[in-house]
Each structure stands twice: as C-alpha cells, then as structure tokens.
Amino acid sequence: MSQIDLNLPGPAASRRVVVAMSGGVDSSVVAALVSEAGYETVGITLQLYDHGAAVQTPGTCCAGSDIRDARRVADGLGIPHYVLDYESSFRESVIDDFADSYARGETPIPCVRCNQTVKFRDLLSVAKDLGADALATGHYVRRVHSEDGPRLLRGTDPARDQSYFLFATTREQLDFLRFPLGAMDKAAVRDHAARFNLGVATKPDSQDICFVPSGDYAGLVKKLRPETEAPGNIVDLNGNVLGQHRGLVHYTVGQRRGIDIGGQKEPLYVVRLDPDTKTLVVGPREALGVASCRLSDVNWLGPAGPDPARPLTAKIRSMAKPAPARFDGTSVIFAAPEYGVSPGQAAVLYDGDRVMGGGWIADTQPALAAAA
C-alpha cells in the first residue's frame, strides 16, 4: 500500500508534522499514516470544554474519553502526545459566539468558528512554536499545489466532503495545513484503521455539535442567554399579529413545525426573526425565496479578486446542493430563488471543485421583493 506524500521538501525523516488528534478514527488514521510515511510525528489533542459546565449538568465531561482514546492511539504508534487546555478560548470563540448568534436571531455554525479560531489559528500557532513543518488534520478536503499557491478543493467523496466548514481558511494557513484523507472515502479510512490495529477503528462518527451532544441547542442557549426565551408576537408579512411565540430561541429561518398558528389556507414558515422587537415573521413557502445575500468577513481564496461576471456555485448550508450564482465581492446573486438562506450561516463559493472563498450571511434580499 503506497504511503502518503505531504509534499514537504527534503526527506520525510527530516520533517516534523503535528497531527490534530480528536480521539476519533479520522484523526487517528492521519497520525498513523503520517508516522508510517516516516515523518517525525507529534500528536496534539485540545481539551476544548467541560461539558458539565457548559450545560450546567455536573459530573460529565465528554471530552475525557476522546482524550484517552487519542492518547492510547499515540502510545500504540509510539509518537509523543500532548493535551492542551483551550477551554477558555473555546468558550469565548465558539460557545459564546454560538449563543450570541442565536440571540441576534441568526442560525450559527459553530464548527466553522472552531476551525476558524481554536483549530486553524491557535493550534496552528502551537504547531509552529513546536518547530513543525506542517499541521495535518482529519478533514475530508483536498489541498493541491498550483502556480498561484495551494488550492482548497472538495473532498473526493461527496458524502464526506467538509470544504463548506473550511471556507474561512486563509492562504497563509493553507500553506501550512495538510489533509491526508481528502482523496479517501470513509470505508478506506476504516480499512486503514483496521490495518494499523487502532482501538478506535470501529468508533462511531460524532453526529451532533460537540458541546451539545443531546441536540438541545435551545436549552443551552436559554441557559447562557436567558433573554432569548422571552415571548413575543408572530406576525405575517404585512405585520398583522397572528399569535404569540414562546421565545425566538426555538425558531430558525425555514422552520415549519412549532409555529402553531391554525386556520391558515396554506402552511406557514419562519421567514425572519427580529430580536429587537422579539417578533417572529412568518409567511408562505414562496416568501423564503432569496434573490441575493450580503456577506460579511469574506475570505477569498480564488485568483485575484472576485469577478462579478464569473459563473460560480454557492452553498448556503452544509447539506445544501450548490446553486448557480455570481459574486460581486460583497453579495451572492443567485441565478434562481434560493430557499433556506439564513443570516448566521455561511455562503461558500465554488468553481467546480475548487473553493473560491466565502463569508457569513449578514442579510438577504427576498426574491418576491426583488421581482416587485
């Protein structure tokens, strides 16, 4: 079986590579592959939070078993392994940001914030301090060399591709990062885990946001930002009061269930949230159609600057199908009305498989208003 090539100059034995080890099968396989290829390999696991403190449920710390798994894998591979306490940084950059985003009436993506801050900012800095030549992670994306520098591409397996979550990776970070699993599917990764006899070979993938393993996002936000549970009016597109809601924390754009307004001719969906007035605006499905969305904190990875005439595709949710669009440097203009576009989410722009850049959705222009 051919070994991986991290595209580092000189013999592998002369290069030090830090591997971000979460305790799962993906990052464990990365550590094994990097070590097998002859690189000096150092494993680092970040303790990001105490679960009991995060949700005010004493006696639990779901980071503990993962840290132990990572340490056992590192011991089995014969590589050094360090655990770094980044709880305060994670709390400020990810958990507090998550709660604040909900309080602003947005739909946050904490996994992007975690990659953007704690992992690809803080951990990358630690790796450089350790004299590493690269930081390798278990993300399913590809990094390829080109004349204009490294490019970020979708993972080969569409079912595992994580490029949406890495849009905020900067050019400087991309120079230092390596993604050995980008051309593999999950079955191949688990085959490697079995080949290396890793104890995590059959460990299930995590499904929920790590600091909300129960999936009760509203419960966590209510504890951290109690004002999000304040009731208010449910109004239609014309501002007519239809009823009362039980707190904006329970609603996201595009939601249909839980509105509880009867006697309507057609189903109602959440169109937008106004936290200043505690108002929930609802309407028919066609009211969810968006003509364009304005982005904030744009990170551009494409050549030169954005070209408004260049046809691209845009992904506005991690599970959404990429939609034809153009980008003028500030706003994404969709070729046809796009549904489920919510402030707080990310819009990621692609040219084929290449990630051109992206940003955070700040606000949207309804297709109905644009056509009026």
Side-chain angles (χ1 to χ4, degrees), residues 303-324:
D307 178 0
R310 184 173 190 164
L312 301 170
T313 58
K315 200 170 184 179
I316 47 85
R317 295 185 311 280
S318 62
M319 300 303 292
K321 182 179 179 181

Side-chain angles (χ1 to χ4, degrees), residues 53-253:
V55 298
Q56 298 180 5
T57 304
T60 59
C61 182
C62 66
S65 62
D66 293 329
I67 291 172
R68 289 192 294 272
D69 286 342
R71 178 171 287 127
R72 280 194 287 265
V73 168
D75 288 346
L77 296 174
I79 64 173
H81 175 253
Y82 303 98
V83 179
L84 304 181
D85 183 356
Y86 269 62
E87 183 178 335
S88 61
S89 179
F90 185 74
R91 171 69 182 240
E92 178 182 347
S93 300
V94 182
I95 298 180
D96 284 348
D97 179 81
F98 176 81
D100 288 340
S101 184
Y102 261 109
R104 292 191 298 267
E106 300 172 346
T107 307
I109 321 174
C111 296
V112 176
R113 288 295 188 197
C114 185
N115 290 327
Q116 184 181 22
T117 56
V118 178
K119 291 181 180 176
F120 289 174
R121 181 193 66 197
D122 299 343
L123 179 54
L124 190 143
S125 177
V126 169
K128 289 184 175 181
D129 288 344
L130 290 173
D133 298 286
L135 170 65
T137 80
H139 291 98
Y140 287 83
V141 294
R142 290 175 290 156
R143 175 193 180 278
V144 298
H145 287 281
S146 69
E147 293 181 356
D148 59 349
R151 299 182 178 186
L152 184 64
L153 274 63
R154 302 179 200 268
T156 300
D157 181 1
R160 305 299 305 181
D161 170 49
Q162 292 175 301
S163 59
Y164 177 86
F165 298 102
L166 300 186
F167 82 87
T169 305
T170 66
R171 291 178 182 273
E172 181 182 9
Q173 291 169 343
L174 200 55
D175 278 335
F176 195 71
L177 289 163
R178 297 297 187 273
F179 308 106
L181 307 186
M184 302 184 195
D185 59 20
K186 190 70 177 193
V189 171
R190 290 202 182 274
D191 286 345
H192 278 300
R195 177 171 71 87
F196 287 115
N197 197 30
L198 302 180
V200 295
T202 59
K203 187 174 181 177
D205 293 335
S206 57
Q207 298 295 327
D208 295 306
I209 294 173
C210 67
F211 56 90
V212 198
S214 67
D216 183 12
Y217 311 140
L220 174 62
V221 175
K222 285 188 295 184
K223 287 182 172 65
L224 298 177
R225 303 292 183 270
E227 68 274 15
T228 61
E229 198 177 12
N233 288 332
I234 302 175
V235 304
D236 64 18
L237 298 176
N238 296 317
N240 299 310
V241 177
L242 304 178
Q244 296 283 304
H245 65 75
R246 55 196 178 95
L248 293 180
V249 67
H250 298 286
Y251 306 92
T252 56
V253 171

Side-chain angles (χ1 to χ4, degrees), residues 246-288:
R246 55 196 178 95
L248 293 180
V249 67
H250 298 286
Y251 306 92
T252 56
V253 171
Q255 180 175 329
R256 177 180 171 183
R257 293 187 177 181
I259 298 175
D260 298 329
I261 299 294
Q264 303 297 310
K265 294 181 180 180
E266 54 187 332
L268 295 175
Y269 297 80
V270 175
V271 176
R272 64 180 179 275
L273 300 86
D274 186 346
D276 291 335
T277 62
K278 300 180 176 57
T279 301
L280 184 70
V281 182
V282 299
R285 185 179 183 278
E286 56 263 30
L288 292 173

Side-chain angles (χ1 to χ4, degrees), residues 25-41:
V25 64
D26 295 329
S27 60
S28 297
V29 166
V30 168
L33 290 171
V34 171
S35 178
E36 180 186 51
Y39 297 98
E40 180 189 352
T41 308

